[in-house]
Amino acid sequence: MTNDLTEQLLEIAIKSGATAAEVYQSRSLSKPVFFEANRLKQLESNQSTGTALRLWYEGRPGLTVANGPVEAKTVVERAIALSKLNQPENVDLTRNSQVFYPDLGENVPAEILVDWGKETIALIRDVYPDVICNGDWECDVETTRLVNTQGLDAHYTDTTLSCYISAEWVRGDDFLSVADGQTERGKLNPETVAQQILQRLNWAQSNVAASNNRTPVLFTSKAADMLWGTLQSALNGKLVLEGASPWAERIDKQVVSSLLTLYQEPEAGPYSCPFDDEGTPTKSLIFIQDGILQNFYCDRATGNQLGIATTGNGFRPSLSSYPTPGLFNFLIKPGNGSLLELIEEMDNGLIVDQMLGGGGEISGDFSINIDLGYLVENGQVTGRVKDTMVSGNIYTALKQLVKLGGDADWNGSCYTSSLIVDGLSTTGKNNS
């Protein structure tokens, strides 16, 4: 990948008196295909380029962002002006690295995306002709380049396929919306997405009432992501440094059930990533092994302050942000058993598949309304529950993990199975 702008920015920055500089550039081309009310609605093509210049002038950092074509001199002048508002800091940049990173994924034409969308909707409506389907299928090509004055030049192109579909079913006064999707490289699977939607529709044939008590709760792989968000925060080196993480002093100690092993893997799945936004190569890292805390994740600055160096997890939440500890993917080692086997093993309890309301954040305390959930009695799904709330504490729940399934799937950048936890409070009202 060649780009005159990046070199110009570095050259002008140094000539203007900056002691060091880096340019981070992201180019994306997305081709979404939209379906509405069971039919193809439109095809789009969106292209964007964003460039961020970070420099150090008289020891002070300045960061500015430009979108699209820009005048390099103007960008440098703006960054220098902004640097005067900041405190001096040490410059810590990746040095002399020009590793070649192969492109990831494959480009898929819009015609194939359209075919996948039509096939998915047809499979659903063959069984439920009254259902209205909306969704989008997308091929997104993103090129990332990071160059600095210390000899770093790293870039790669990442092509990701994704789809999202919602199936809406209106029965008199009762409205049901089931949503699911996929993110993959190379190929999406319409049959898998359709079967996941159909399974939920089958379970929702009737509405039943949930009782008010403590009960086992099965979080499907789609819903389990809520639990892992809290653990990702607890593993964040910056929150450890600030004393906000409850695990700050817990390295080598049991923090969750021994059934759980949590890790990151640079080459795994659709969120694989060769280097972070500071140019550090990403690496395999086990955060929790068999329930025992092993590692936190850090960017350069946080790692230095913690005395553990960077773990290759310095990412920018946006182009206009400085790198901060972040994750590119997060994997939970699967257990065993299909979703149906987990339901049978749970015997009596609730299934949470879609929810309203946020997770537990760093405290772990949560209270969610079930948007789509089901009652299980004697190992069988008996119907959909409505107007039901589940509450508890995520850290406590994951110490009381009953079962971890083998049905792992990607939900966003999190690879997780369904799981059963015990001791959560459920509050429902008669809604049959």
Side-chain angles (χ1 to χ4, degrees):
M1 174 185 175
T2 59
N3 188 325
D4 290 341
L5 177 61
T6 54
E7 281 81 7
Q8 284 178 31
L9 287 169
L10 295 182
E11 184 180 342
I12 294 171
I14 295 302
K15 283 182 177 177
S16 300
T19 52
E22 71 170 10
V23 177
Y24 177 91
Q25 188 172 71
S26 175
R27 291 178 167 183
S28 69
L29 172 63
S30 63
K31 296 179 293 183
V33 171
F34 295 95
F35 287 79
E36 190 173 285
N38 306 321
R39 297 178 181 276
L40 176 64
K41 184 187 179 188
Q42 67 188 60
L43 286 72
E44 288 185 3
S45 181
N46 305 313
Q47 191 164 358
S48 66
T49 300
T51 305
L53 169 68
R54 182 166 61 144
L55 53 72
W56 285 261
Y57 186 82
E58 296 179 350
R60 302 170 188 267
L63 172 66
T64 190
V65 173
N67 293 298
V70 290
E71 183 70 41
K73 189 170 185 293
T74 304
V75 175
V76 172
E77 288 172 351
R78 196 185 312 150
I80 290 173
L82 288 169
S83 73
K84 295 173 182 178
L85 304 174
N86 296 320
Q87 295 298 313
E89 67 174 25
N90 292 329
V91 179
D92 186 11
L93 295 174
T94 303
R95 296 174 174 272
N96 301 323
S97 176
Q98 298 193 12
V99 181
F100 171 75
Y101 295 102
D103 293 348
L104 304 171
E106 299 170 33
N107 211 327
V108 170
E111 301 79 50
I112 293 179
L113 297 174
V114 170
D115 289 344
W116 286 341
K118 288 179 177 178
E119 183 182 348
T120 306
I121 291 170
L123 287 167
I124 294 168
R125 298 192 74 240
D126 280 350
V127 183
Y128 290 95
D130 295 335
V131 161
I132 296 172
C133 295
N134 304 301
D136 60 86
W137 277 254
E138 185 170 344
C139 177
D140 186 63
V141 183
E142 185 163 354
T143 300
T144 300
R145 187 183 185 195
L146 184 63
V147 188
N148 69 28
T149 52
Q150 307 292 323
L152 170 73
D153 189 350
H155 58 85
Y156 74 102
T157 298
D158 174 9
T159 304
T160 308
L161 304 173
S162 61
C163 72
Y164 174 85
I165 183 168
S166 65
E168 298 173 354
W169 193 12
V170 180
R171 299 169 292 181
D173 294 334
D174 186 33
F175 175 80
L176 170 67
S177 178
V178 181
D180 217 319
Q182 266 187 350
T183 306
E184 298 288 349
R185 288 216 174 92
K187 188 179 189 305
L188 296 173
N189 191 325
E191 187 167 345
T192 300
V193 178
Q195 288 305 319
Q196 288 170 334
I197 298 279
L198 288 170
Q199 176 76 83
R200 273 63 175 178
L201 292 171
N202 291 341
W203 284 341
Q205 294 284 349
S206 59
N207 294 332
V208 295
S211 56
N212 299 336
N213 56 18
R214 287 188 177 273
T215 184
V217 176
L218 192 162
F219 289 89
T220 64
S221 59
K222 184 169 64 173
D225 188 43
M226 185 273 290
L227 304 171
W228 306 126
T230 291
L231 268 57
Q232 290 171 9
S233 296
L235 294 165
N236 185 323
K238 190 172 183 181
L239 295 184
V240 171
L241 198 61
E242 294 168 354
S245 169
W247 291 348
E249 307 293 334
R250 301 284 290 166
I251 287 285
D252 294 330
K253 294 193 168 57
Q254 189 99 22
V255 289
V256 289
S257 164
S258 60
L259 297 174
L260 290 173
T261 294
L262 282 55
Y263 62 103
Q264 69 178 19
E265 177 51 61
E267 297 184 5
Y271 293 89
S272 55
C273 176
F275 58 86
D276 71 2
D277 292 349
E278 296 181 300
T280 306
T282 51
K283 65 179 183 179
S284 301
L285 189 65
I286 295 175
F287 301 117
I288 294 174
Q289 175 91 49
D290 302 326
I292 296 172
L293 180 61
Q294 304 286 326
N295 290 291
F296 302 115
Y297 58 90
C298 302
D299 61 356
R300 282 177 168 266
T302 306
N304 289 339
Q305 287 175 280
L306 286 172
I308 58 174
T310 178
T311 57
N313 288 87
F315 290 98
R316 300 167 185 252
S318 67
L319 266 182
S320 58
S321 304
Y322 289 91
T324 190
L327 291 164
F328 52 92
N329 64 21
F330 189 75
L331 296 88
I332 294 86
K333 184 179 177 182
N336 52 69
S338 66
L339 179 57
L340 294 179
E341 287 169 335
L342 260 65
I343 291 168
E344 191 174 335
E345 184 167 329
M346 182 168 66
D347 196 29
N348 293 288
L350 279 181
I351 298 173
V352 176
D353 190 52
Q354 295 171 193
M355 64 193 77
L356 301 170
E361 299 182 342
I362 194 68
S363 71
D365 294 326
F366 72 94
S367 182
I368 55 165
N369 289 300
I370 299 177
D371 180 43
L372 184 59
Y374 307 93
L375 185 67
V376 176
E377 296 177 298
N378 300 318
Q380 298 292 322
V381 176
T382 56
R384 177 191 177 203
V385 296
K386 296 172 66 179
D387 303 313
T388 302
M389 180 176 285
V390 174
S391 57
N393 181 276
I394 289 169
Y395 300 109
T396 304
L398 290 176
K399 287 175 183 171
Q400 299 171 341
L401 182 66
V402 175
K403 176 81 174 180
L404 183 65
D407 61 337
D409 199 3
W410 288 99
N411 291 276
S413 59
C414 183
Y415 183 73
T416 174
S417 305
S418 301
L419 54 89
I420 303 170
V421 295
D422 208 353
L424 299 182
S425 295
T426 62
T427 310
K429 66 181 182 181
N430 194 307
N431 47 40
S432 58

